[in-house]
Amino acid sequence: MTAQPQKYYSAGEYLELEREAEYKSEYYKGEIFAMAGAGHNHNRVVENLSIEIGGFFKGKSCRTYSSDQRIHIPDTGLYTYPDLIIVCDKNQYLDDKKDTILNPSVIIEVLSESTEAYDRGQKFHFYRSIPSLQEYVLINSRAFSAEVFRKNEEGFWFLASEAYQLHDSLELATVGLTLSMTDIYAQTEDLLL
């Protein structure tokens, strides 16, 4: 038997397929990667964040988008769907389809066992090349654990806020928001202590 050659796609081919697809996929360097479904706690944390952050921005200029909103990182070529993004300036889109945002201010990823290494490593490296990005938030779906990384005025990233107990809070200073861990983890189940 011979190995089948890997099919590579252009960014245009990916977007054409993705816009018609029934499921979401990431794209990087010619390859398309199907995104797996999420578990109860992951979905619960994302929903809790959407409610808390969305309510905070009601009537304000910043807005949130859930995991159905694709972003593109021109410097790396990655197309992906973060769990939640906050945009505070006028949306900048890839093209006139207005389905791919280029300028998130804050990106939030909810970690699962299968995505944690990627979200903390290569994906964070890619995200750091987004000029508009000011904060990157990682929230664990399996334990009480949340971290906010912030970019300083010189462009260096640092751990700015962290929370590991249910009574702790997490600060997103870029947008003037403090999130309680109790609200983030409401109605989750079987978390590790």
Side-chain angles (χ1 to χ4, degrees):
M1 290 179 66
T2 59
Q4 294 295 315
Q6 173 71 37
K7 175 155 175 55
Y8 289 93
Y9 299 85
S10 70
E13 289 171 322
Y14 159 75
L15 286 170
E16 188 175 317
L17 292 168
E18 189 70 3
R19 287 172 173 150
E20 300 298 321
E22 294 181 18
Y23 57 88
K24 297 181 298 188
S25 299
E26 285 191 339
Y27 172 86
Y28 180 63
K29 290 191 174 182
E31 294 186 70
I32 296 174
F33 304 92
M35 296 180 70
H40 168 79
N41 282 352
H42 184 282
N43 289 329
R44 190 70 252 146
V45 169
V46 171
E47 185 68 20
N48 291 339
L49 290 166
S50 294
I51 291 166
E52 295 301 316
I53 298 171
F56 177 77
F57 287 134
K58 191 171 185 176
K60 297 178 182 167
S61 61
C62 294
R63 63 221 153 274
T64 62
Y65 295 93
S66 69
S67 59
D68 285 333
Q69 179 59 64
R70 183 174 50 247
I71 68 167
H72 174 57
I73 307 168
D75 283 0
T76 66
L78 178 68
Y79 289 84
T80 190
Y81 296 84
D83 288 314
L84 197 75
I85 66 170
I86 299 170
V87 180
C88 291
D89 292 323
K90 182 178 179 186
N91 287 356
Q92 294 174 11
Y93 296 105
L94 176 69
D95 56 29
D96 62 357
K97 299 280 187 194
K98 295 187 175 185
D99 59 0
T100 307
I101 289 180
L102 302 173
N103 64 321
S105 302
V106 178
I107 293 177
I108 301 172
E109 292 286 10
V110 177
L111 306 174
S112 62
E113 193 169 356
S114 63
T115 66
E116 183 168 5
Y118 176 51
D119 288 343
R120 286 187 176 283
Q122 186 176 30
K123 201 171 198 183
F124 185 24
H125 175 72
F126 290 164
Y127 284 160
R128 289 193 302 260
S129 71
I130 301 171
S132 62
L133 188 65
Q134 297 300 309
E135 289 183 320
Y136 182 49
V137 182
L138 295 172
I139 299 176
N140 196 322
S141 67
R142 296 164 294 145
F144 297 117
S145 173
E147 301 160 314
V148 177
F149 294 89
R150 188 172 304 129
K151 183 169 53 175
N152 67 18
E153 291 179 10
E154 291 80 34
F156 296 106
W157 288 85
F158 65 99
L159 179 61
S161 179
E162 56 189 330
Y164 301 103
Q165 311 263 337
L166 194 56
H167 64 271
D168 289 343
S169 295
L170 197 64
E171 182 188 8
L172 280 66
T174 298
V175 294
L177 172 62
T178 300
L179 294 167
S180 109
M181 293 286 275
T182 303
D183 291 335
I184 292 171
Y185 286 99
Q187 299 179 332
T188 55
E189 301 173 351
D190 305 321
L191 291 170
L192 302 172
L193 299 176

